[in-house]
Amino acid sequence: MTSIIEIKNLKTRFFTADGVVKAVNDVSYTMESGEILGVVGESGCGKSVHAMSIMQLIPDPPGKITNGEIIFEGRDLLKLSDAEMRKIRGRDIAMIFQDPMTSLNPVFTVGYQIVEAIRLHNDVTKKEARKRAGELLALVGIPGAEERLDDYPHQFSGGMRQRAMIAMGLSCEPKLLIADEPTTALDVTIQAQIVDLVKKLQDELGMAIMWITHDLGVVAEMADRINVMYAGSIIETGEIHNVYKRTKHPYTTGLLGSLPRLDDEPGTELTSVPGLPPDLLALPEGCAFAARCGYRDEKCVAERPILEKIAGYDHQVACWHWEKIEGDGK
Amino acid sequence: MDTKKPLVSVRNLKKHFPITGGILQRQIGAVKAVDDVSFDIFKGETLGLVGETGCGKTTVGRTMMRLYEPTSGGIIFDGVDLIALGESDLRKIRQRMQMIFQDPYASLNPRMTVGSIVKAPLDVHTKMNSKEKHDRIQELLDIVGLNPDFVNRYPHEFSGGQRQRIGIARALALEPALIVCDEPISSLDVSIQAQVVNLLEKLQKELGLAYLFIAHDLSMVRHISDRMAVMYLGKIMELADRDSIYLHPVHPYTRALMSAVPIPDPDSTAAHDRILLDGDIPNPKNPPTGCNFNTRCPVAQDRCFVEEPEYREIKENHWTACHFAEVTP
Ligand SMILES: Nc1ncnc2c1ncn2[C@@H]1O[C@H](COP(=O)(O)OP(=O)(O)OP(=O)(O)O)[C@@H](O)[C@H]1O
Ligand SMILES: Nc1ncnc2c1ncn2[C@@H]1O[C@H](COP(=O)(O)OP(=O)(O)OP(=O)(O)O)[C@@H](O)[C@H]1O
Ligand code: SF4
Ligand SMILES: [Mg+2]
Ligand SMILES: [Mg+2]
């Protein structure tokens, strides 16, 4: 496999009246072409900002990428001009945003919006683009796709809007698709349809997919690898079985323990993580998880652990005491 | 149903919201948000209520407390017929049925301190003197795991999970017998959800509370419930103890819903046996005739499109509304 994107020491900051929000802190990882990477973590941990940084869609001011490299097909995206980046966005890297209602424009028909997306990057006639748009809507499973092109977003259900977003994301056959919480707002039977659809499309088209979500269940089901984020950093990452079954970070362990499973023995107690995530305006010196961690000692409070490779496994963890942690992953 | 006496009995409850239209805003139809629903809740137990957006869960909770006026049907709470009560008697009995809400931000008055939020029900409904009230507030904050020194702080100074605890303290103030929990954890992060659920379970054990626990998250509802009811388009499709619902569901909708839940384990094979439903939930303004699940049901027969299945007890304490429940393997 060859890597499709390599992110090195990415830092993104928001310079606000209250101070500097350290939203993304030294994030480094590589995605292989054709792989599905799950990105998980709690609200506010930097999942969206890190993805927007890759797309270079961070509002500036107040935001700024202050450090790092984003190597995509041999080029550092952070060194490209705006015009060069616009060509990559949508064509090579496409993103589906967290809220489909804000990313589909309510005053234009769904078909018009897909046609525009296609014509932005391809030299085709309106007629050809419309034909392609109909095929795309059919591909994502919208019944009567041709006729539905002339519908406005509000005439679609939540699940159909999400499918339309996926169709738009796929319109230029990107090499990397970033999907930010694509199913969070949907009901579970509709989510199951979308997950099934994306897995099938990935099989057929072979693009790499970054799937950002709160839902450790969905990631377990579809991802090859996972990044667990906490307070703007990746604290555990690796092949999915390694992270779920040989969990080595106390936060990941806590997260898995606080999730009930549908197939649990009834009466299984949930092991909640005490306390709250830290304020990104005032990150502690040492490990960001230390205040909530049962393994904490002086070193944890004084010094920030960085990702360390676990020999022999596709698995990295940022914790001083990972060797003590018996991750049975339930 | 059971030889135990239920705390609440809901029978054939309907709540239809009028749809108006035209220049005269005349009623031209109705959303049958809750359409002929019956269930019991026993003292000290949790009945889980699940189903997809818009299926009527919140309306069941609110109508059961007569916060919405029912269109028809009966509600007996601790032997008292709620439908027959006048406004002042109703207010008195509602002290014993409380509600906690999905949005811990919107449900607390931002201009009131934590102390005054928890004190409000004591002011209205009790004759406690100020010392007694003070002590009770301290006790309540302690029970829900909030530092009693926080009484003079305002809601915005707290996190979502802490605000939900404030809402729980307020709900407990008058020693209710029943709490309707409407999506109490949906807006919270996973690691915080477990804190709140563990608290609700602890309080139930200590205080003998009954819960109607409404949520989307089937794994969490199964975790906390003794029995579960599955709703679809205003009706209960199936109701049974949590293990029967999970291990031996008989309604095709329950089966599909259970199978759609992702399991946080990469070795789980549950997804292989998944029953994928076609299409979307029909518009509740215009539900299908016959069985309301017929547009998506993988096993529907001709009969399902003309005849509405009866909601009936097919085994002891196992209720469902599917024509073929008795012959489902
Ligand atoms: N425009 C902005 N100005 C200031 N701070 C911001 C801005 N956008 C994001 N942030 C902050 O950056 C941090 C990371 O936010 P981000 O949206 O990436 O979180 P997330 O992990 O995607 O959360 P969620 O799961 O809720 O979507 C948060 O603390 C957020 O408040
Ligand atoms: N006050 C109201 N007036 C008119 N229609 C209403 C009203 N409240 C609810 N409805 C409708 O009744 C149906 C049931 O709504 P309800 O809020 O009970 O669903 P729910 O199961 O709680 O959904 P969710 O999971 O999204 O909270 C929906 O179609 C809704 O649009
Ligand atoms: S570094 Fe220390 S505080 Fe941080 S997770 Fe590991 S043991 Fe806990
Ligand atoms: Mg986000
Ligand atoms: Mg509701």
Side-chain angles (χ1 to χ4, degrees):
Chain A
M1 278 221 211
T2 52
S3 73
I4 175 132
I5 193 162
E6 193 178 350
I7 291 161
K8 293 184 189 166
N9 306 103
L10 182 70
K11 285 189 185 161
T12 306
R13 304 273 177 268
F14 292 97
F15 298 89
T16 70
D18 296 329
V20 182
V21 179
K22 296 184 172 166
V24 178
N25 299 309
D26 238 326
V27 161
S28 303
Y29 64 94
T30 303
M31 266 182 89
E32 307 295 329
S33 51
E35 92 174 0
I36 302 185
L37 172 74
V39 176
V40 304
E42 294 182 70
S43 194
C45 72
K47 302 182 297 294
S48 296
V49 169
H50 124 275
M52 302 290 258
S53 303
I54 296 173
M55 298 299 277
Q56 290 179 51
L57 292 172
I58 297 290
D60 174 10
K64 219 169 199 72
I65 298 172
T66 57
N67 189 58
E69 290 170 45
I70 299 172
I71 313 289
F72 180 78
E73 299 193 310
R75 291 196 292 175
D76 184 355
L77 298 186
L78 295 180
K79 297 215 169 78
L80 299 186
S81 69
D82 286 353
E84 287 171 317
M85 192 58 212
R86 258 198 304 277
K87 274 197 206 137
I88 292 205
R89 234 182 265 134
R91 189 190 63 191
D92 296 311
I93 310 179
M95 182 157 173
I96 301 170
F97 294 91
Q98 203 157 346
D99 179 4
M101 243 354 221
T102 58
S103 26
L104 282 172
N105 191 329
V107 305
F108 296 113
T109 64
V110 173
Y112 175 83
Q113 297 184 57
I114 302 178
V115 164
E116 286 304 296
I118 294 172
R119 278 166 52 87
L120 192 63
H121 293 292
N122 299 284
D123 189 17
V124 291
T125 64
K126 273 211 173 115
K127 209 169 148 216
E128 285 164 339
R130 190 181 154 90
K131 183 161 169 282
R132 179 84 188 116
E135 289 165 5
L136 281 165
L137 276 195
L139 181 71
V140 297
I142 292 188
E146 286 284 328
E147 294 97 79
R148 305 298 307 241
L149 283 175
D150 298 320
D151 281 1
Y152 288 88
H154 75 265
Q155 292 170 284
F156 276 26
S157 70
M160 284 162 68
R161 281 198 288 266
Q162 206 51 273
R163 285 165 188 267
M165 287 300 304
I166 293 173
M168 207 151 38
L170 295 176
S171 61
C172 297
E173 303 192 8
K175 296 174 186 130
L176 171 62
L177 179 68
I178 301 177
D180 192 359
E181 312 257 9
T183 57
T184 304
L186 303 177
D187 279 314
V188 39
T189 62
I190 312 294
Q191 167 173 289
Q193 294 172 356
I194 302 278
V195 166
D196 184 64
L197 167 72
V198 171
K199 282 200 285 195
K200 280 196 184 121
L201 290 173
Q202 204 268 345
D203 262 357
E204 271 168 50
L205 309 173
M207 71 275 195
I209 298 176
M210 183 187 301
W211 189 279
I212 299 174
T213 177
H214 290 90
D215 192 328
L216 285 151
V218 174
V219 171
E221 201 168 284
M222 64 188 304
D224 303 304
R225 305 182 73 260
I226 179 174
N227 286 350
V228 184
M229 290 186 71
Y230 190 79
S233 301
I234 298 175
I235 51 94
E236 186 159 12
T237 175
E239 194 276 327
I240 191 103
H241 293 84
N242 294 340
V243 174
Y244 279 77
K245 297 295 192 174
R246 309 175 64 254
T247 316
K248 290 299 175 197
H249 197 287
Y251 173 65
T252 319
T253 317
L255 213 52
L256 287 168
S258 43
L259 277 184
R261 285 172 53 156
L262 195 61
D263 58 356
D264 267 346
E265 285 298 316
T268 312
E269 209 193 320
L270 304 178
T271 55
S272 64
V273 186
L276 296 170
D279 185 352
L280 296 178
L281 281 166
L283 273 183
E285 192 89 348
C287 172
F289 187 60
R292 305 172 78 186
C293 182
Y295 295 86
R296 170 193 60 227
D297 62 11
E298 298 91 55
K299 183 170 186 185
C300 306
V301 179
E303 237 181 291
R304 177 161 314 165
I306 55 165
L307 280 180
E308 182 183 335
K309 194 160 166 29
I310 298 175
Y313 293 91
D314 173 6
H315 194 176
Q316 298 175 58
V317 58
C319 166
W320 293 121
H321 300 299
W322 67 265
E323 278 161 298
K324 291 186 201 155
I325 291 149
E326 286 298 331
D328 62 350
K330 298 217 278 186
Chain B
M1 242 183 159
D2 202 307
T3 45
K4 281 187 294 174
K5 222 175 89 205
L7 176 65
V8 197
S9 281
V10 169
R11 288 295 172 272
N12 306 101
L13 191 68
K14 293 188 184 178
K15 176 65 194 173
H16 296 179
F17 293 106
I19 306 169
T20 53
I23 27 173
L24 296 174
Q25 286 299 308
R26 254 198 292 254
Q27 181 170 349
I28 52 171
V31 178
K32 297 179 178 176
V34 174
D35 199 27
D36 205 353
V37 155
S38 302
F39 59 89
D40 291 334
I41 304 176
F42 294 92
K43 189 171 178 305
E45 81 158 352
T46 301
L47 176 67
L49 187 56
V50 297
E52 299 177 88
T53 301
C55 70
K57 303 180 295 297
T58 296
T59 309
V60 165
R62 299 189 69 98
T63 313
M64 186 182 89
M65 294 178 68
R66 256 191 79 189
L67 293 169
Y68 287 152
E69 219 33 70
T71 306
S72 65
I75 310 158
I76 310 289
F77 177 80
D78 214 2
V80 180
D81 179 359
L82 288 198
I83 305 287
L85 291 186
E87 200 44 53
S88 75
D89 287 329
L90 190 60
R91 215 172 304 131
K92 232 174 267 154
I93 205 154
R94 273 209 205 105
Q95 299 172 26
R96 309 202 39 228
M97 338 164 65
Q98 295 287 327
M99 195 155 184
I100 49 184
F101 302 90
Q102 169 163 10
D103 188 346
Y105 297 84
S107 57
L108 301 175
N109 184 336
R111 279 180 290 279
M112 283 167 76
T113 61
V114 171
S116 44
I117 288 170
V118 179
K119 185 158 130 314
L122 302 176
D123 289 339
V124 178
H125 293 290
T126 72
K127 297 196 167 62
M128 288 183 179
N129 65 34
S130 59
K131 169 82 174 66
E132 286 165 337
K133 283 181 197 163
H134 172 267
D135 291 349
R136 178 74 179 139
I137 294 166
Q138 298 283 312
E139 181 189 28
L140 286 164
L141 292 183
D142 188 52
I143 291 176
V144 300
L146 285 173
N147 185 339
D149 296 342
F150 289 172
V151 281
N152 292 320
R153 297 203 187 170
Y154 289 88
H156 74 261
E157 298 175 60
F158 294 91
S159 69
Q162 288 175 317
R163 288 185 215 204
Q164 208 48 291
R165 290 173 193 264
I166 300 169
I168 296 170
R170 175 177 60 186
L172 292 175
L174 300 169
E175 302 182 36
L178 171 77
I179 301 183
V180 174
C181 309
D182 191 0
E183 311 260 7
I185 53 168
S186 315
S187 64
L188 305 176
D189 271 319
V190 177
S191 75
I192 313 294
Q193 288 186 354
Q195 295 175 3
V196 173
V197 164
N198 286 346
L199 171 66
L200 288 172
E201 290 187 309
K202 180 184 102 155
L203 294 172
Q204 179 165 56
K205 269 196 214 102
E206 291 172 3
L207 307 173
L209 295 166
Y211 295 136
L212 178 66
F213 190 91
I214 300 173
H216 283 92
D217 180 345
L218 277 119
S219 311
M220 194 56 98
V221 175
R222 173 167 182 267
H223 172 85
I224 198 171
S225 303
D226 300 295
R227 296 183 303 131
M228 287 169 72
V230 177
M231 275 188 87
Y232 188 80
L233 270 184
K235 293 180 186 289
I236 295 181
M237 299 281 105
E238 187 160 5
L239 187 160
D241 67 90
R242 67 162 162 210
D243 287 331
S244 303
I245 285 277
Y246 169 64
L247 295 169
H248 312 290
V250 294
H251 197 287
Y253 178 60
T254 313
R255 294 181 160 200
L257 195 62
M258 292 290 155
S259 82
V261 177
I263 308 279
D265 178 348
D267 288 337
S268 164
T269 55
H272 302 315
D273 309 323
R274 182 160 291 162
I275 306 160
L276 278 183
L277 293 178
D278 287 335
D280 285 315
I281 306 167
N283 187 337
K285 290 176 188 163
N286 191 13
T289 45
C291 172
N292 63 1
F293 186 54
N294 62 21
T295 58
R296 300 172 81 199
C297 181
V299 295
Q301 309 286 318
D302 292 347
R303 183 180 170 195
C304 306
F305 294 88
V306 287
E307 189 190 334
E308 188 182 331
E310 186 198 350
Y311 181 67
R312 60 200 185 278
E313 191 171 18
I314 56 153
K315 288 192 271 260
E316 206 188 348
N317 299 324
H318 195 144
W319 294 69
T320 192
C322 167
H323 288 308
F324 309 109
E326 285 81 359
V327 296
T328 309

